[in-house]
Amino acid sequence: MPRPLIPPIVTEQPALTELRYEVRAFLAEQIRAGAFVPHVDTWLTRWDRDFTRELGRRGWLGMVVPSEYGGQGRSYLERFVVTEELLVVGAPVAAHWIAERQIGPSLLRYGTEEQKQAFLPGISRGEIVFGIGMSEPDSGSDLASVRTRAERVDGGWRLTGTKVWTSGAHEADGFFALARSAPLDPAHRHDGLSQFIVDLHAPEIEIRPIISMGGDHHFNEVHLGGVVIPDARVLGQIGDGWSQVTSELGFERSGPERFLSTFQLLAAAASAMNEGSLPLDAGLGRHVARVAALHHMSFAISSALEERAESDAGGSGAAAAAGDVDVDTAAAAVKVLGTTEEGDITDYVDTLTASGWPRGDELFSLLEAAILQRPGFTLRGGTNEILRGVIARGLGLR
Amino acid sequence: MADAPLTSHPVADPDLVDVLAGLFDDYRQRRPGPSVHLAFDADLWGRLDDLGLTRLSASEASGGSGAGWLEAAALLGIAAGAAAAVPIAEHDVLAAWLLESAGLPNDGRLRTVCRPDPSGVAINVTWASEATSIVALWEDRDQWRVSDVATERAEITAGRNLAGEPCDTVTFDLADLESGVVVDHTIGEQFHLRGALARSAQVVGGMDRVLEIVVAHVTERTQFGRPIGRFQAVAHLVADIAMEAALARSATDAAVARAASSDWSDPGMLFAVGVAKSCVGHAASVVVRGAHQVLGAIGTTLEHDLHLLTKPILCRRSEFGSVHEWDETLAELASSAGHDRLWPLVLTGRAAPAPASRGPG
Ligand SMILES: Cc1cc2nc3c(=O)[nH]c(=O)nc-3n(C[C@H](O)[C@H](O)[C@H](O)COP(=O)(O)OP(=O)(O)OC[C@H]3O[C@@H](n4cnc5c(N)ncnc54)[C@H](O)[C@@H]3O)c2cc1C
């Protein structure tokens, strides 16, 4: 038999369900109190540092960060259910999303002791906000072609170049920049890349807004004008940037934000059908079914990643249940299916609604926002075309 | 790390799965060449019977092996992947279960199962012409009755389904149905759910094998001087097949796990089975279309194995409720859940919180 694409499903036990109830009760209370208005794609577009800090106070940030670094020392599975509950109600989670999802785990894996002490407690309290500095004007899908240069100087590295599409850079304290620290060797394109922890408040950094088609400002162009990064802010090993960046893709691509970005719109459509303002239609069932199945897939991968993390940490025989599934290929599959589904939900509701829909209405404003955000779903974090290639490779096609 | 377990891993007994995989791999090598009509494979049935696999899920008290739904689903999927012409779903998963629910004896001889209409006629009864006896579930005014009717007492008009399986019309003597044992009123819905999930398990087993055939083909078949799988358009079709099959499997496995852990008593079963049936049904479109596209002309021939899988996949996705009917059922559940209870519905299959008196669940 071929090896399965997705790890075997796992079943949530009461300890996790209790955690869900706790988070759910808090969120219901916040919505009642008007602390936020549920929306779509909030993990990219809705910043609320107070809300983020409140999550930190409640122990729902830095969940996988060990307690000696100010985190909660809990598992990826617990983190998973907390993030699901936050996403389905469309809570304003953008301020901490990137730090919480990938910066923290990267620091844990590659950071020095000093770096962990410097950043992880602040991330876990929701006080330090991070972005991702990978894409450049001439380097999108072909990330290894980045041109930002890192030149050796006394005690550090001088970074020169331009990063683009940097979500939240104008609000962030820092980002991880991927830069070329050795000249390109066409035979080994992935060599010579390094990651740097960049303080975005440094004077040599210029952040210019890029306005999205709906008029919002969430991403930016970040110009690195020769900022010197001290050796103590090199992440991991010089020259290992590529493998460091790609090793976290499993977390970045398989999480619930890859299929729940438009859940609020789906929920609004369900209630509109219940009230009769939209026709009851079988398509709703089809989309709900896909979301449910995606939850199972994504959760299974989270469980496999947890096992991988445990076995990395020296646990015994932990990887057994995940079998020999390649988690990164599985994560790519969740991202393609999930982000397509988020967009299909949008398009589905759009095809059901007539143009006379009242503008101030909740469903209408969710729909309009979803239509505007939709193109990004299947681009960000690796486009679906690139990811299909990853899956094909995982299947042995090349 | 928390002390209480966070998850459980519902997997079928791996030793059994190994045995099944070996057995059906072997069958695949030796089975008769493809034909339009599938004949019941008495030799295979005999081998399965010797191993206790024709009564895998029936309780030990009734002469079965007492295995759960995890194992039953594994058997259904692996057998479907080998295009085995044997009625495991009908004989064991449905007929044996109905007999047991009715407290009727089961001598283990080949049975199929059906739900005749009020006039005693059942259509699309797979394998009726091969069975020695037919277990009928009949709605007699407001109660359900189960009868075990010897095939010679019924009139059988032979037919075939798209898969080429015997798929017959059975006309019963009403007296045989009226004398059936009255069973619990939930059995009608249970039958529909079990049938739908059994079909889903078969379809995902078939899709796994389709993917295998597709991957082998695109790495072996060469055009323009290279394996066709190197062409991005082809690679993307294959990735789509793999992803849809995986989604359908996750949905089906989740429903099977829920059935196994609650012995079908979980109130979320209707939703869970619906999710499986919907995802499987829509995946079938992508998988079948993509596989035939990638295989080219050879895949459209009788000689090639592909149709032994694609035809049953399409046939089975429409049994025990069409894809559309299941989508409608889910739409009703979702719309009555409404805005705030949609997510609990997705997670648990129930929109309403569990009543305290019913205990945990
Ligand atoms: C909402 C949003 C937020 C983002 N946030 C960040 C961020 O915070 N930090 C960051 O670094 N980046 C961010 N990005 C950038 C994102 O990572 C890139 O958009 C993505 O990698 C694609 O690059 P590109 O846009 O340059 O498109 P291109 O790479 O130019 O691709 C254009 C089209 O060509 C296709 N294509 C390209 N190469 C191939 C190939 N080999 N085979 C088949 N098709 C191909 C692509 O699939 C796509 O359809 C964000 C993007 C979006 C939309």
Side-chain angles (χ1 to χ4, degrees):
Chain A
M1 278 205 279
R3 66 180 193 179
L5 189 60
I6 299 290
I9 63 139
V10 292
T11 307
E12 178 175 319
Q13 293 298 300
L16 280 184
T17 310
E18 286 304 320
L19 178 58
R20 278 190 194 282
Y21 290 159
E22 216 184 298
V23 180
R24 207 177 283 173
F26 163 74
L27 292 168
E29 176 52 39
Q30 291 282 298
I31 295 171
R32 254 196 309 276
F36 69 90
V37 178
H39 202 58
V40 294
D41 202 22
T42 53
W43 64 274
L44 195 81
T45 61
R46 285 290 199 261
W47 288 69
D48 183 340
R49 290 185 96 142
D50 290 339
F51 183 80
T52 284
R53 272 192 293 268
E54 180 58 28
L55 294 181
R57 268 194 291 279
R58 287 172 183 265
W60 295 331
L61 297 183
M63 289 190 72
V64 299
V65 173
S67 52
E68 63 261 38
Y69 303 119
Q72 301 297 323
R74 297 175 88 164
S75 69
Y76 284 97
L77 295 163
E78 289 165 296
R79 181 180 177 275
F80 183 94
V81 303
V82 170
T83 56
E84 268 195 338
E85 295 297 326
L86 288 165
L87 290 164
V88 291
V89 299
V93 291
H96 65 264
W97 200 261
I98 288 170
E100 163 71 19
R101 178 181 70 190
Q102 62 201 95
I103 303 295
S106 275
L107 282 168
L108 280 171
R109 193 148 174 184
Y110 301 113
T112 63
E113 185 59 27
E114 185 271 331
Q115 289 168 351
K116 292 182 201 175
Q117 295 289 358
F119 296 110
L120 290 173
I123 288 176
S124 303
R125 285 193 306 269
E127 282 164 7
I128 303 184
V129 172
F130 267 98
I132 309 170
M134 296 213 249
S135 306
E136 295 182 4
D138 292 325
S139 301
S141 298
D142 183 10
L143 186 61
S145 71
V146 291
R147 291 198 200 145
T148 294
R149 260 181 308 131
E151 295 159 291
R152 193 74 181 119
V153 294
D154 196 24
W157 296 79
R158 186 197 310 277
L159 261 55
T160 313
T162 302
K163 294 292 173 184
V164 76
W165 320 126
T166 321
S167 301
H170 56 304
E171 305 266 8
D173 302 302
F175 74 1
F176 282 7
L178 182 69
R180 185 151 278 296
S181 50
L184 179 70
D185 170 0
H188 303 98
R189 302 178 69 234
H190 298 150
D191 293 356
L193 295 168
S194 304
Q195 279 184 293
F196 299 90
I197 306 172
V198 178
D199 176 0
L200 287 174
H201 304 303
E204 301 87 349
I205 289 179
E206 192 189 336
I207 299 173
R208 301 186 208 104
I210 301 176
I211 305 300
S212 305
M213 62 178 169
D216 296 344
H217 170 202
H218 70 253
F219 49 36
N220 304 273
E221 188 172 89
V222 177
H223 184 65
L224 304 160
V227 59
V228 173
I229 310 297
D231 284 333
R233 290 293 170 265
V234 171
L235 181 71
Q237 298 301 314
I238 286 292
D240 279 357
W242 186 259
S243 71
Q244 290 172 200
V245 162
T246 49
S247 72
E248 299 302 320
L249 292 177
F251 294 104
E252 195 189 326
R253 290 178 172 162
S254 71
E257 72 273 30
R258 302 303 184 180
F259 62 96
L260 291 175
S261 302
T262 55
F263 190 81
Q264 275 295 310
L265 178 62
L266 189 65
S271 77
M273 287 186 196
N274 194 24
E275 290 152 11
S277 49
L278 282 182
L280 182 59
D281 178 78
L284 174 69
R286 172 187 183 164
H287 290 296
V288 169
R290 287 185 83 83
V291 169
L294 281 158
H295 156 79
H296 294 302
M297 275 175 104
S298 176
F299 191 49
I301 294 174
S302 175
S303 172
L305 287 167
E306 170 72 25
E307 281 163 17
R308 189 167 82 177
E310 278 170 29
S311 65
D312 282 357
S316 57
D324 56 354
V325 171
D326 171 18
V327 186
D328 295 328
T329 308
V334 165
K335 187 170 176 298
V336 174
L337 288 171
T339 58
T340 304
E341 177 57 25
E342 291 174 332
D344 286 351
I345 288 169
T346 307
D347 200 51
Y348 169 67
V349 178
D350 192 28
T351 59
L352 280 180
T353 50
S355 60
W357 202 270
R359 284 200 74 82
D361 182 87
E362 185 209 1
L363 183 119
F364 185 86
S365 52
L366 291 170
L367 175 58
E368 202 172 73
I371 289 171
L372 295 171
Q373 291 305 109
R374 174 187 180 158
F377 298 164
T378 50
L379 291 171
R380 60 190 179 199
T383 74
N384 282 10
E385 291 70 37
I386 295 298
L387 295 177
R388 280 189 173 86
V390 169
I391 294 159
R393 199 173 318 121
L395 292 167
L397 266 51
R398 56 190 158 99
Chain B
M1 200 95 319
D3 296 323
L6 300 177
T7 54
S8 63
H9 298 258
V11 286
D13 173 6
D15 293 337
L16 176 71
V17 171
D18 280 349
V19 169
L20 295 176
L23 185 94
F24 283 96
D25 270 350
D26 179 54
Y27 171 73
R28 212 150 40 73
Q29 318 294 333
R30 299 191 297 138
R31 75 167 170 231
S35 59
V36 176
H37 289 170
L38 291 185
F40 171 68
D41 195 322
D43 178 52
L44 175 63
W45 191 253
R47 290 174 70 196
L48 294 174
D49 210 30
D50 290 344
L51 294 168
L53 296 172
T54 61
R55 303 287 305 283
L56 183 62
S57 67
S59 75
E60 287 170 71
S62 73
S65 309
W69 259 79
L70 295 172
E71 284 73 27
L75 170 60
L76 288 170
I78 292 171
V86 283
I88 294 162
E90 293 83 350
H91 170 86
D92 181 37
V93 172
L94 295 172
W97 164 72
L98 274 182
L99 290 178
E100 206 175 314
S101 306
L104 288 168
N106 185 347
D107 58 13
R109 289 196 295 165
L110 187 66
R111 282 180 170 76
T112 189
V113 73
C114 67
R115 253 170 72 172
D117 69 12
S119 70
V121 178
I123 58 168
N124 294 330
V125 186
T126 40
W127 305 104
S129 48
E130 300 287 350
T132 53
S133 179
I134 303 174
V135 178
L137 173 64
W138 192 55
E139 195 169 8
D140 179 12
R141 287 165 295 259
D142 53 3
Q143 53 192 1
W144 291 95
R145 291 180 185 276
V146 170
S147 327
D148 188 20
V149 182
T151 316
E152 60 268 17
R153 293 185 57 86
E155 185 192 321
I156 296 181
T157 312
R160 295 277 169 180
N161 61 19
L162 174 70
E165 294 167 330
C167 187
D168 312 314
T169 298
V170 182
T171 308
F172 291 91
D173 184 339
L174 275 183
D176 284 337
L177 302 179
E178 282 160 358
S179 63
V181 176
V182 173
V183 289
D184 189 86
H185 69 281
T186 60
I187 292 280
E189 185 187 341
Q190 279 283 315
F191 178 75
H192 193 59
L193 294 184
R194 287 169 190 246
L197 191 54
R199 288 294 183 246
S200 300
Q202 290 176 303
V203 173
V204 293
M207 294 196 295
D208 281 351
R209 175 69 191 141
V210 168
L211 177 62
E212 228 172 73
I213 291 175
V214 162
V215 169
H217 181 77
V218 303
T219 46
E220 285 157 16
R221 170 76 174 167
T222 298
Q223 286 293 285
F224 300 97
R226 46 178 153 150
I228 56 173
R230 297 276 174 86
F231 296 108
Q232 203 175 52
V234 173
H236 286 191
L237 279 172
V238 177
D240 285 339
I241 292 169
M243 285 187 288
E244 283 294 320
L247 185 80
R249 171 163 290 289
S250 293
T252 302
D253 287 354
V256 168
R258 185 167 291 202
S261 67
S262 72
D263 196 16
W264 286 88
S265 67
D266 187 311
M269 281 318 301
L270 174 65
F271 180 81
V273 171
V275 167
K277 202 68 169 45
S278 172
C279 290
V280 162
H282 294 292
S285 303
V286 175
V287 169
V288 170
R289 185 172 46 205
H292 276 291
Q293 186 68 14
V294 161
L295 266 283
I298 189 71
T300 67
T301 61
L302 182 64
E303 187 195 332
H304 197 283
D305 280 355
L306 185 59
H307 70 92
L308 289 177
L309 299 154
T310 54
K311 290 189 301 190
I313 285 172
L314 294 180
C315 195
R316 287 171 180 152
R317 74 164 167 176
S318 307
E319 290 176 352
F320 295 92
S322 69
V323 182
H324 184 77
E325 281 164 353
W326 277 105
D327 281 351
E328 278 182 327
T329 299
L330 294 174
E332 280 157 23
L333 289 172
S335 79
S336 49
H339 189 283
D340 290 347
R341 304 293 308 169
L342 183 63
W343 180 240
L345 178 74
V346 165
L347 290 180
T348 67
R350 287 188 315 263
S357 60
R358 291 237 194 105

